[in-house]
Amino acid sequence: MRLAVVGGGSTYTPELIDGFARLRDTLPVRELVLIDPAEDRLELVAGLARRIFAKQGHEATVTATSDLDAGIEGADAVLLQLRVGGQAARQRDETWPLECDCVGQETTGAGGLAKALRTVPVVLDIAERVRRTNPDAWIIDFTNPVGIVTRALLRAGHKAVGLCNMAITLQRKFAKLLDVAPAEIHLDHVGLNHLTWELGVRLGGPGGVDVLPRLLEEHADGFALELRMPRQVLETLGVFPSYYLRYYYAHDETVRELHTKPSRAEEVAAMERELLEMYGDPALQEKPALLGRRGGAYYSEAAVALAAALLGTADADEPSGGRALGEGRTGGAPNVQVVNLRNDGTLPFLPDDAVIEAPAEVGPQGLVPLAAPAVDPLQAGLITHVSAYEDLALDAALHGGRERVFKALLAHPLIGQYDLADGLTDRLLAHNREHLAWA
């Protein structure tokens, strides 16, 4: 099996390599191709990847190339984890919205729109090359904003699915609190990428007992601290919101905090410099502990499980490291994973072509979302609002134009005022002209 990783020079990549090495019975990779235009960092990452495989006795070869067409040729699956403009663009996304007292964040709000505008055309170009070279290959997108990027890929007819590590991280968290194996936990995970709620936490599968009320009662203080929301809010909601919901539920408070501290981009850039120095050490043969602070926890397990299910290797006996979301099958049980895919009636208040993040049965023939639980108007209203924004954001990314950018910003629930949208549009264009051909 040949896998290609576009953005293979990312400091995330050793996390992915570690998963490939540990879970080789689930996903028998024989050749891994790391593709990245930044050849200097690509060689550092590829060198560490080879050492990780060697230490764990994995026989796969690792190829590093800056030639996209050569790298994707013959790949069974192509993973996308690229960042157009690098950390410098992220730094801008996180700072210029603050000039208008709006959240500066790389995946939502005005900064998230800027990232989408830069990213969608590049991803679609890559996908077209994959389709020309090997049309049967699956495209697995981990590139943010995942929901908008996946919608672009699916609308263009590509064989694609979006992936986020949020659900598997929560699955592992709840399993630890309940002292059960992760495979025993099924999440009633509802929403859009980076706009999700756990409406239930079920033991034993989709029809299992919902233990979320028990978790909220026993761990409310810890959850409130982790999510940085008042305990009373969690008790009132009666569900477990993703931490991204704080941008919506406490927008003004969050903006005040962002004004007083370094951006996340600055923190990540410093970590990346340190990580790349580590990766260059020939004595390093495993992913360093610092990588855990970089983000992307359990990304490798989620990516391996998804690729294995799509490529038909997930029927192996119990894989190394135990089962998580969709890792292997027992007793013929469906391979269920939380992914980003077409709505197709799952949430009846959204159009069929909206992209949702939800549990789905995954296999070589594709993905089928599970029936969703009833969604309270409190969640459904915000999901509908943000999904409409994403549709306008994709229109702006595909066709360009200041007016389309303005409309997308005006539609976003974190903005929603014409004077803010107008000022943010000017700033977005000023900071991204080098990446927007139409600007």
Side-chain angles (χ1 to χ4, degrees), residues 14 20-21 69 90 101 146 186-188 191 202 204 213 216 304 381 390 404 429:
F20 289 155
D69 293 319
R90 177 179 182 172
D101 285 328
V146 168
H186 172 84
L187 302 177
D188 287 341
R202 301 187 179 276
L216 289 173
V304 167
E390 289 188 347
R404 291 188 178 92
L429 296 177

Side-chain angles (χ1 to χ4, degrees), residues 333-353:
N335 196 312
V336 175
Q337 303 187 39
V338 174
V339 292
N340 284 259
L341 75 171
R342 273 178 58 100
N343 178 46
D344 284 335
T346 308
L347 299 180
F349 49 85
L350 291 183
D352 284 347
D353 66 348

